[in-house]
Amino acid sequence: MWTRESLHELAAGELRDYHFVVVSNREPYIHSHALGTIHCDMPPSGLTAALDPVMRACGGTWVAHGSGNADRETVDANDRVGVPPEDPRYTIRRVWLSKEEEDGYYYGVSNDALWPLCHIAYTRPTFNDDEWKVYRAVNERFARAVLQEVGGGQAFVFVQDYHLTLLPRILREANPNLVVAQFWHIPWPNREAFRVCPWQNEILEGLLGNHLLGFHIRYHCNNFLETVDRSIEARVDYDRYEVIRGGKKTEVKPFPISIDFEEVSARAREPGVEAEMERLRKSLELDDWIIGMGLDRIDYTKGIPDRLRAIDRFLERNPEYRGRLVFIQTGVPSRVHVPAYRRINDEIDTLIEETNWKYETGHWRPIIDLRGPLSPLTVMALRRLSHFAIVSSLHDGMNLVAKEFVASSVDEDKVLILSEFTGAARELTDALLVNPYAADEVAEAIKAAVEMPLEERQRRMRRMRAVVQENNVYKWAADIVAKMVKIGSGG
Ligand code: GDG
């Protein structure tokens, strides 16, 4: 079983002669002004949740966009700052972007073109050539920062996600001593879906700068190989999962991401959680109701309206649960500068209002809307209070919310309703797997969840906990680091 310690040993031994550099759009720690002082926070994101423990174990440098309003005041003359602030274990090197650059590269190409392109959620991508020029320039800016950090020496560079598709090629051409890997946190769609992208060849050539390209599941690897095979001049080896282009090899492999199971379980058991549960019971007037929860970054891929429609359908079909079951929807709004995200927030508002209006009696209403930033303690107390959770993504690379719910279920007495279109569904086969587009099917799963006998709830949850405990984030990181080391040594 991989642990923070064994990963640390691996990193200290194998990465001894190398500099380890992570590159991502989002920084793991943001400095901002609040109430007259400077705060340092970890923004909620799957990526940060997964990589911060890894960086603490490996040390090194994390290159990222400095987006906090106190970020410039907290770096040194070389734009560097040590984190975590109370006990610095690694360095953030901040890259600065203007509002126009953020608009074209982050909101435009990354989240209004590539995100909808890769998620089959029936939201149309927008392709704008001016934004693409900005995206290209920003990728070059990140490349310059990485090359400065590593100098001419040997280094492992681990790039994150779809914001930086052009970076690997620039790095590999500029410094042959680098081993470059990239992890793609979202799905890779089939070739038919990808071919509408006007910049497809440049993106593929950029990604083939990597020595190693990782996806969550084999299905996404297959989609990528097929896309390359049918789009550009390259030799694709389907048996070895490799692409050779211009004499350079890219290995394409699955690495299912995960969470720090032990830490989440330990946090679920902290004494403060029970007090917070009590506070929530009182302030939300929860009585002895059956509680379901959803926790998501507000995104149209997460299927939040679909889940709310399923709650409506459930109450319509099972009137005996009116006044007895409540669903708490939480989560933070994100990417609100992109029109599709504003629309999804409005749609959720309307659905919650209509459903509550339809069924509410006395102080009971079926849906409690807790959107907005919540403290980790409150999120944990909500998980512990819940009898079931719904993760209803229309398409999701992995989905860490599902794994966090499993790790928090220390009473082994909760049910997970999980979309079959998440990467997590491949591992969490003891969840109640559903098609989120089918409201009746999800409504039936809610009924099955609340009526499931205790023994079956425990049996399913124990098995899922064992899976997440074994396939934890340290295993994800160790597998990638070990593979990078093997590539670095010519293997
Ligand atoms: C991408 C891929 C892949 C969410 N709302 C709040 C909050 N969160 C935390 C969750 C979880 C994280 O954010 C979300 O992670 P997910 O994996 O569920 O989703 P994405 O952000 O879309 O992540 C995804 C992931 O990358 C990693 O590769 O799994 O498929 O889309 O940790 O707990 N945390 C707090 N308040 C919130 O309101 N405190």
Side-chain angles (χ1 to χ4, degrees), residues 384-401:
R384 288 272 318 271
L385 276 174
S386 300
H387 297 88
F388 67 95
I390 308 183
V391 172
S392 51
S393 310
L394 305 179
H395 203 187
D396 215 328
M398 174 53 71
N399 193 287
L400 296 178
V401 167

Side-chain angles (χ1 to χ4, degrees), residues 2 7 10 14-15 156 212 255 476-489:
W2 281 97
L7 177 63
L10 173 86
E14 301 285 352
L15 299 176
F156 286 112
L212 176 66
F255 298 96
W476 174 78
D479 286 349
I480 293 175
V481 168
K483 188 76 202 161
M484 289 176 82
V485 168
K486 195 159 173 232
I487 291 169
S489 62

Side-chain angles (χ1 to χ4, degrees), residues 44-47 49 115 119 161 183 185-186 216 257 295-297 302 330-332 372-376 379 383 396-401 404:
S45 102
L47 171 65
W115 177 272
H119 288 92
D161 238 349
F183 190 76
H185 290 260
I186 64 177
H216 292 295
I257 206 167
L295 167 80
D296 313 83
R297 206 168 42 69
K302 303 291 182 188
T330 69
V332 276
L374 296 177
S375 73
V379 169
R383 291 194 198 111
D396 215 328
M398 174 53 71
N399 193 287
L400 296 178
V401 167
E404 287 161 349

Side-chain angles (χ1 to χ4, degrees), residues 183 215-217 254-258 398 403 427 471-472 476:
F183 190 76
F215 295 95
H216 292 295
I217 56 175
F255 298 96
I257 206 167
S258 193
M398 174 53 71
K403 292 187 172 182
E427 290 170 79
N471 300 327
N472 60 23
W476 174 78

Side-chain angles (χ1 to χ4, degrees), residues 143-161:
R144 276 199 298 279
V146 174
L147 292 167
Q148 256 170 25
E149 289 299 320
V150 298
Q154 291 191 316
F156 286 112
V157 184
F158 186 23
V159 184
Q160 306 303 315
D161 238 349

Side-chain angles (χ1 to χ4, degrees), residues 93-111:
R93 159 73 193 267
R94 287 179 169 145
V95 172
W96 311 114
L97 301 178
S98 67
K99 283 270 182 256
E100 292 70 30
E101 285 170 332
E102 221 183 308
D103 216 33
Y105 142 84
Y106 180 75
Y107 291 106
V109 172
S110 299
N111 288 314

